[in-house]
Each structure stands twice: as structure tokens, then as C-alpha cells.
Amino acid sequence: MPKIVLVTGASSGFGRETVKMFAKDGYKIIAIGRRQERLKELKKELSECDIYTISLDIRDKKEVFDAIENLPLEYKNIDILVNNAGLALGLEKAQNALIEDWEVMIDTNIKGLLYITKAVLPRMIKRKSGYIFNLGSIAGNWPFKGANVYGSTKAFVQQFSLNLRNDLKDTNIRVTNIEPGFAKTEFSKIRFKNDDKKADSVYDGFQPLVGKDIANIIFMLSKLPLHVNVNTLEVMPTAQTWAGFALEQNC
Ligand code: NDP
Ligand code: 8X3
């Protein structure tokens, strides 16, 4: 029987490439995102594959639980959940950032991820089988200017992933937090609110990660033997390293 993969944020970036990779390998896909047109295009592009699309906002608790509850029978037993939908809004210092942007990041990256997980988990537990991938970030591990709330949401995702591992002991369910660095997707376009020039300049002069790199990693991890659990996996472009500590002199 083909395995079933649910991918959130399937309309762009990592999520879209992850759908493509698993679909082409014969998996049945549940692809979630808000932009219905994008999901339709993806389904059309993968017309030979088995894709079930759901257009929903993961911030809407009721919508999420209803959608999972009402999945057609042949998609109900989800084997792999890729909690990928998420975003950063702004890169201002905390004192200058918009509280509304903070709320959207918390509602999406934390609460949305929790709703999907909570809705999908019962059947995985019942079947004593499953793999959950969460998309954290290097921003959850390392502080840097302007990452204030975005980084904190990803630190939440990391700790939640580790804590899930404890709670899911004896269920055979695996959990991995993937923590990418700079990756060229629509991420910066969203962060900089459609300022394409600013977004593109983030990736000037070096080779960033791309969606396919992360999809590849998720796909490879999913093929590891069942007794192997990678807890966290931080991945950067080779060109990216750390900036060192900042020091305010003469103060
Ligand atoms: P993209 O902007 O290309 O994709 C983000 C996806 O999330 C889109 O498909 C978007 O779909 C979906 N999404 C956002 N908000 C919602 C929502 N409320 N409900 C449903 N879907 C939503 O970015 P990436 O592919 O780069 O990002 C994927 C994940 O990886 C994110 O969690 C991001 O934080 C993380 N990440 C990204 C890095 C990068 O440098 N690119 C580095 C580290 C982590 P739609 O708008 O159609 O709803
Ligand atoms: C995205 C990584 O460094 O662009 O999660 O914020 S960064």
C-alpha cells in the first residue's frame, strides 16, 4: 500500500519540493496551503501522481481539525507529517517591530503547527507508526539582530519536537526538527513584504540552499531504518557560517 504524506505549506518553497519528491516516488500526498490556485497548479504538474489538496489557513483551529477529521478514507492513515508552513515577517529590532507581525508569526509557526500535529497524532498513535518532520530554523538556535520573535517561534518548534519524542516513547513515532539556514524560496519576499529587490539581495553573491535541498534531506531521513531517529538536523549553505559576538565599546 502506498504511504501517505501530509505537507503543510505545499504551495511554495520547501513544501512544494517535498510534495514533488514524495509524489514522484509513489506516495499519496495531502498538500495544504492557503493559495488554492498554487495547489491546483501543483496537482496539474503532478497529474500522474496521487495528490489531495486542501486550501486552508493553519491558524484556524476549527478548519484544521475539520479538514483532518473529514479526510477521505484512503488518506486518513497519515504516515509522514511535514509541518513546514511558516513565515517570518520583518527583520526590525524588537523595539521597532510590529506587534501584529509578531502575532501572525506566533499564530502560524507555533499555534498552526500545534493544531495540525494534534489533529494528526491520534491515528499515528493508534497505528503505532509515523514520522513527524518539523521545520525549525537556525534562527531557533542562534540569536541575531531582528530575529526576535521569528527566532523564538523556531526555538519553540525545536523544544516541542524534542518533548514530543519523550511523550511518544513506546509509539514508534519518529520526530525530527530540521533547522535550515539561508534558503532561496519565497521566504524573504514574505519577510520583506513583497520588496523583491530587498528579498533577492539576501542571496546575492553566494549559493544559498534551495527547496529541493531540504526536500531531499526530508526524503532521505524518511528512508532511514525504523529504529533510527535523528532528533535535530541543522543545515546551512556551505557559504554561511557564524558572525561572532557583538561588542558595544565605550559604554
Ligand atoms: P515559502 O514562503 O516559500 O513557503 C511558505 C509556505 O507556508 C507557503 O506554502 C505558504 O503557503 C505556507 N503558509 C504560510 N502561512 C500559512 C498559513 N497560515 N496556513 C497555511 N499555510 C501557510 O518559505 P519556505 O519554503 O522557505 O519556508 C518553509 C518553512 O521553512 C517555514 O516554516 C520557514 O520558517 C522555514 N525556514 C525557511 C528558511 C529559509 O531561509 N527559506 C530557513 C529556515 C527555516 P500559502 O501562502 O499559500 O498559505
Ligand atoms: C530562516 C533563516 O536566518 O533567514 O529561518 O532567518 S534566517
Side-chain angles (χ1 to χ4, degrees), residues 54-79:
I54 308 176
S55 164
L56 72 75
D57 187 329
I58 61 164
R59 292 173 293 175
D60 187 325
K61 182 163 58 176
K62 185 173 177 328
E63 251 193 82
V64 167
F65 280 89
D66 285 353
I68 302 300
E69 176 70 26
N70 295 323
L71 280 171
L73 200 58
E74 69 265 33
Y75 295 99
K76 275 192 185 295
N77 287 329
I78 295 161
D79 295 287

Side-chain angles (χ1 to χ4, degrees), residues 61-134:
K61 182 163 58 176
K62 185 173 177 328
E63 251 193 82
V64 167
F65 280 89
D66 285 353
I68 302 300
E69 176 70 26
N70 295 323
L71 280 171
L73 200 58
E74 69 265 33
Y75 295 99
K76 275 192 185 295
N77 287 329
I78 295 161
D79 295 287
I80 300 174
L81 165 61
V82 185
N83 268 323
N84 162 75
L87 77 173
L89 287 176
L91 196 59
E92 290 80 21
K93 292 180 183 173
Q95 54 272 37
N96 301 328
L98 294 177
I99 192 96
E100 293 76 18
D101 286 349
W102 284 1
E103 286 171 330
V104 173
M105 289 187 277
I106 290 167
D107 288 347
T108 311
N109 301 355
I110 297 181
K111 290 168 75 178
L113 179 142
L114 292 179
Y115 299 154
I116 297 271
T117 308
K118 194 83 171 122
V120 167
L121 259 181
R123 275 185 175 262
M124 282 189 173
I125 291 173
K126 205 165 164 194
R127 295 165 61 228
K128 283 197 162 226
S129 164
Y131 199 151
I132 300 174
F133 290 94
N134 290 331

Side-chain angles (χ1 to χ4, degrees), residues 122-221:
R123 275 185 175 262
M124 282 189 173
I125 291 173
K126 205 165 164 194
R127 295 165 61 228
K128 283 197 162 226
S129 164
Y131 199 151
I132 300 174
F133 290 94
N134 290 331
L135 258 297
S137 166
I138 56 162
N141 299 342
W142 312 102
F144 56 89
K145 201 167 73 185
N148 40 69
V149 167
Y150 176 69
S152 304
T153 64
K154 294 302 184 179
F156 174 94
V157 172
Q158 187 199 59
Q159 197 62 16
F160 178 63
S161 305
L162 299 180
N163 279 319
L164 262 184
R165 290 269 294 119
N166 273 343
D167 292 350
L168 295 175
K169 195 159 148 276
D170 303 327
T171 66
N172 297 322
I173 298 171
R174 294 182 287 173
V175 183
T176 300
N177 193 46
I178 312 271
E179 301 159 357
F182 280 131
K184 190 165 185 182
T185 59
E186 288 178 15
F187 178 83
S188 290
K189 185 181 163 77
I190 304 290
R191 169 179 264 168
F192 297 123
K193 304 180 179 171
N194 291 321
D195 183 337
D196 286 330
K197 212 168 145 203
K198 204 166 168 185
D200 287 343
S201 72
V202 173
Y203 311 105
D204 270 354
F206 74 101
Q207 191 173 349
L209 299 171
V210 292
K212 208 171 172 183
D213 295 321
I214 300 303
N216 233 322
I217 287 168
I218 293 172
F219 187 74
M220 285 189 306
L221 289 177

